[in-house]
Amino acid sequence: MFEYRTRQRRHYACRATLGLEVHLFFLGVLGAARRFAIDKSSYLLIELWSYAVVMSTLELKSLVFPNRDIAGRDAEVGSDSLTDEERLRIATAYDDLTVPTPREHAVFTRWLKQKSGS
Amino acid sequence: MDLSWSEADHQARGELQSFECAFPPKVSRYRVRPHRHPRPWQATVQSYVRSLRTPYIDPDHVLIGRDEGKIAAVVAYCTVLDAVEPPGHFVKAIARANAYRGTGVADSAMAELLRRLRGDNNGFEVQSGVYGKVHSLNSSGRAYMRRHGFEAIDRDEDYEIWAREL
């Protein structure tokens, strides 16, 4: 489950960066219009701009290759054209399968105590 | 069937990401209707195995059984520690590659798991046990657990809890 959440967080980070990129685009246009000379603030702007370009490329990649995550691996949870409901169901199934709930562990320990006592 | 067992390392990640234990192994990528796997527990375990980012450190373990270099089975388990209660080993998944259906690989995987758990028991002197979950519709899975000495101790919505002493 941890891996899935990490992947999901990374995905949302990309989405957020896309929004940031649009914001920076308008800032860049504004900056370029005001002055063409490279000074400190423009340099910072260019740096941020290139960062945004890289992140948006990753975002485009995830749109073109929806079955792959950023590292190019098969993202099983996000693959096979799953609907949001299906993704949620699988994510829940991950939880059900790989994490024992406190209640389940309590049931097990109670059973184990009974067994070892008998 | 004799497999060579080891803890999964970083090199195994690539192989695990293409591991196939669900049958049918994969649905077509573009479908109008939402994907419904006929055996959802198999698809879930396959997704889980593919998402593993090995290596793991104690108390999480991922064992890989290889036959002539190829991954034939994967076992993931962890030790659940409690300050008061006796410790328990939770089996997250036991998966057998599709290419090894009907070869006894799954039995070998369970035997290896029990052998390791009995062997180290993480230094605990007290009685401990092992438990895991089986989907309620997975009749072969239930028979598999029964064959290895497990018994059903509880039932949730979709999953039954099966346990045995070590």
Side-chain angles (χ1 to χ4, degrees), chain A residues 15 17 27 36-37 91-93 101 115:
Chain A
R15 297 266 170 207
T17 318
L27 270 180
F36 290 98
T92 315
T101 62
K115 269 280 185 186

Side-chain angles (χ1 to χ4, degrees), chain A residues 6 20 22 25 32 43-46 59 63 65 74-75 90 92 113 115:
Chain A
T6 309
L20 179 68
V22 173
F25 174 77
Y43 179 76
L44 183 69
L45 212 62
I46 288 166
E59 175 67 20
L63 288 174
F65 302 106
D74 269 325
I90 291 179
T92 315
K113 277 179 184 172
K115 269 280 185 186

Side-chain angles (χ1 to χ4, degrees), chain A residues 27 58 60 65 79 118:
Chain A
L27 270 180
L58 290 173
L60 278 174
F65 302 106
S79 67
S118 61

Side-chain angles (χ1 to χ4, degrees), chain A residues 3 67 81 86 96 113, chain B residues 17 29 36 56 85 133:
Chain A
E3 292 82 6
N67 284 2
S81 310
E86 282 289 303
D96 286 346
K113 277 179 184 172
Chain B
Q17 280 161 21
R29 184 171 291 182
R36 291 270 188 274
Y56 287 91
E85 306 292 350
K133 297 183 200 178

